[in-house]
Amino acid sequence: MDRLSSSYEYVCNNSKSIRINYSKIDDMIEQIKNSSVDYWLDSNPYGLIDMETEEIINFLFVYHTIGDYCFWGEPKWKIQTDLGTLDGSYAIMYLILNRFKENNDFEMSFEEFKELLKGNVTIPLLEDRYQNLVKLNKFLKSKNRTAYELIKELNVDSELLEFIVSNLDFFEDTYNYDGKEILFYKRAQLLTSDILHVREKKEHINVDYSHLIGCADYKIPQVMRCYGMIELTDILAEKIDSKMELEEGSLEEIEIRANTLKVINYIYEKLDKKYSRMNINDFIWILGQDKSKMTKPYHRTLTKHY
């Protein structure tokens, strides 16, 4: 956890493509002070939090195994539902949760899996998502226990994160930057945060998610750029604005992700640690769901890490 908290600093100190605008961050801090800082799943429209705790945790393991990464494309993957057209994380959550409520056994063939995630186009990285699901099923079968049963004694983020990344290798998320290993673990952190938030809310127990540092993805840096908190060089801005793909593991991609975490931590410190970094993370992510305010596109990297 110490390495997770510090490795991104090296990238920020040596970044060539990104500058942080602290005056704009201070504007965001004032907005946070005058708003409620909500847990992101409280805003989901599907009644997930109303389910039993064990069901929610078991669902979250499936969702984070196949759901929370890489939806972009031309055209973007979308589905039609009784709630209208959905895309991204809420769309895949809709499909997985509907299936889960009908049948929580996710042992399925690739063709069944493909049909489950059927949209206007094939969802990006379909095969990777399926292979991750196969690994999750194999792991749970080897333990002969549900996901909830395996984690119900782990109430501290460092222990839970260690359990997740040690047993499920598809949550690994590290890069090499100038010879230094940089740890992000976006999806593992998000799963850890979700489990602990849900158990805190539903079981009224003491949990600790204070060591988690935030989710270095594509949506949060988009919000930060639109609100002026991060500024890009002309070269990088042109690549993103023209929807040019950034190669996974490139210096530019790593710098975007690392500086995202530095901004979150700066807000955390300036607010005297009143809110956790994950709750600040969620506040910014929720801002990004208002597409009318997203005046700049997000960066595009084909990746299963976010």
Side-chain angles (χ1 to χ4, degrees):
M1 192 62 80
D2 289 340
R3 291 175 61 215
L4 182 65
S5 298
S6 63
S7 68
Y8 71 86
E9 287 283 0
Y10 179 82
V11 179
C12 297
N13 292 337
N14 292 277
S15 291
K16 301 175 179 63
S17 300
I18 295 182
R19 173 183 173 272
I20 295 175
N21 186 328
Y22 289 98
S23 65
K24 293 294 185 179
I25 301 176
D26 290 339
D27 292 341
M28 177 60 64
I29 289 170
E30 290 304 311
Q31 183 173 341
I32 292 173
K33 286 180 179 179
N34 297 317
S35 306
S36 61
V37 179
D38 299 318
Y39 166 52
W40 81 280
L41 280 179
D42 284 338
S43 68
N44 91 88
Y46 312 133
L48 174 64
I49 301 298
D50 296 331
M51 294 165 52
E52 295 297 321
T53 305
E54 183 166 1
E55 290 182 304
I56 299 173
I57 302 304
N58 293 338
F59 163 78
L60 287 172
F61 265 89
V62 175
Y63 169 73
H64 286 294
T65 292
I66 63 179
D68 58 341
Y69 59 91
C70 207
F71 298 105
W72 62 268
E74 294 294 348
K76 187 176 184 179
W77 175 80
K78 299 177 181 179
I79 61 170
Q80 298 298 324
T81 75
D82 53 359
L83 300 174
T85 302
L86 299 175
D87 61 29
S89 58
Y90 279 147
I92 198 167
M93 179 179 287
Y94 176 92
L95 296 177
I96 299 170
L97 189 56
N98 281 354
R99 154 77 190 214
F100 186 89
K101 289 178 177 178
E102 294 175 2
N103 179 5
N104 61 14
D105 180 4
F106 274 74
E107 291 266 5
M108 61 178 70
S109 69
F110 177 72
E111 289 304 317
E112 290 173 317
F113 183 74
K114 184 177 181 180
E115 184 65 23
L116 172 66
L117 301 185
K118 185 177 180 180
N120 59 322
V121 294
T122 300
I123 193 170
L125 301 171
L126 177 67
E127 292 81 3
D128 286 90
R129 296 175 197 268
Y130 180 70
Q131 290 306 316
N132 289 353
L133 181 62
V134 170
K135 288 181 179 180
L136 175 65
N137 287 332
K138 183 178 179 180
F139 170 67
L140 294 176
K141 186 175 291 186
S142 72
K143 299 297 184 182
N144 196 30
R145 297 167 75 186
T146 67
Y148 176 79
E149 290 169 340
L150 290 170
I151 60 86
K152 64 181 180 180
E153 302 300 327
L154 303 176
N155 301 327
V156 178
D157 51 16
S158 56
E159 297 175 352
L160 182 53
L161 185 74
E162 177 69 23
F163 171 84
I164 292 168
V165 300
S166 296
N167 290 290
L168 300 168
D169 64 2
F170 51 83
F171 281 105
E172 183 179 353
D173 181 8
T174 64
Y175 286 100
N176 182 286
Y177 181 89
D178 193 25
K180 305 283 187 181
E181 185 182 46
I182 311 301
L183 284 65
F184 290 117
Y185 288 112
K186 179 260 178 175
R187 294 171 53 238
Q189 284 196 82
L190 188 52
L191 176 54
T192 299
S193 174
D194 283 351
I195 290 170
L196 295 178
H197 272 88
V198 166
R199 298 196 65 211
E200 179 182 48
K201 188 181 186 73
K202 300 282 289 185
E203 297 179 330
H204 308 292
I205 61 173
N206 292 323
V207 302
D208 184 359
Y209 42 79
S210 65
H211 306 97
L212 300 176
I213 64 173
C215 297
D217 64 1
Y218 64 92
K219 194 65 183 177
I220 293 174
Q222 179 194 22
V223 177
M224 290 179 177
R225 185 185 176 205
C226 290
Y227 280 81
M229 295 184 282
I230 60 173
E231 300 172 351
L232 314 180
T233 62
D234 291 343
I235 293 174
L236 180 55
E238 173 60 26
K239 288 181 180 180
I240 294 175
D241 293 346
S242 64
K243 299 183 179 180
M244 180 184 300
E245 182 178 338
L246 299 185
E247 183 180 353
E248 183 178 25
S250 64
L251 296 183
E252 291 168 324
E253 189 228 358
I254 295 172
E255 289 178 6
I256 290 171
R257 299 187 76 193
N259 281 276
T260 296
L261 298 176
K262 183 161 187 171
V263 172
I264 290 172
N265 191 65
Y266 176 81
I267 295 172
Y268 172 69
E269 297 286 352
K270 291 283 283 187
L271 288 172
D272 297 322
K273 304 180 182 180
K274 179 180 178 181
Y275 307 107
S276 73
R277 282 167 290 200
M278 289 303 294
N279 285 100
I280 293 167
N281 177 98
D282 290 357
F283 179 88
I284 295 171
W285 185 87
I286 291 169
L287 286 179
Q289 301 313 297
D290 183 352
K291 295 182 180 180
S292 68
K293 294 183 178 179
M294 294 300 98
T295 55
K296 302 288 186 181
Y298 49 74
H299 76 275
R300 297 185 170 209
T301 297
L302 189 63
T303 176
K304 60 185 180 182
H305 297 313
Y306 59 93

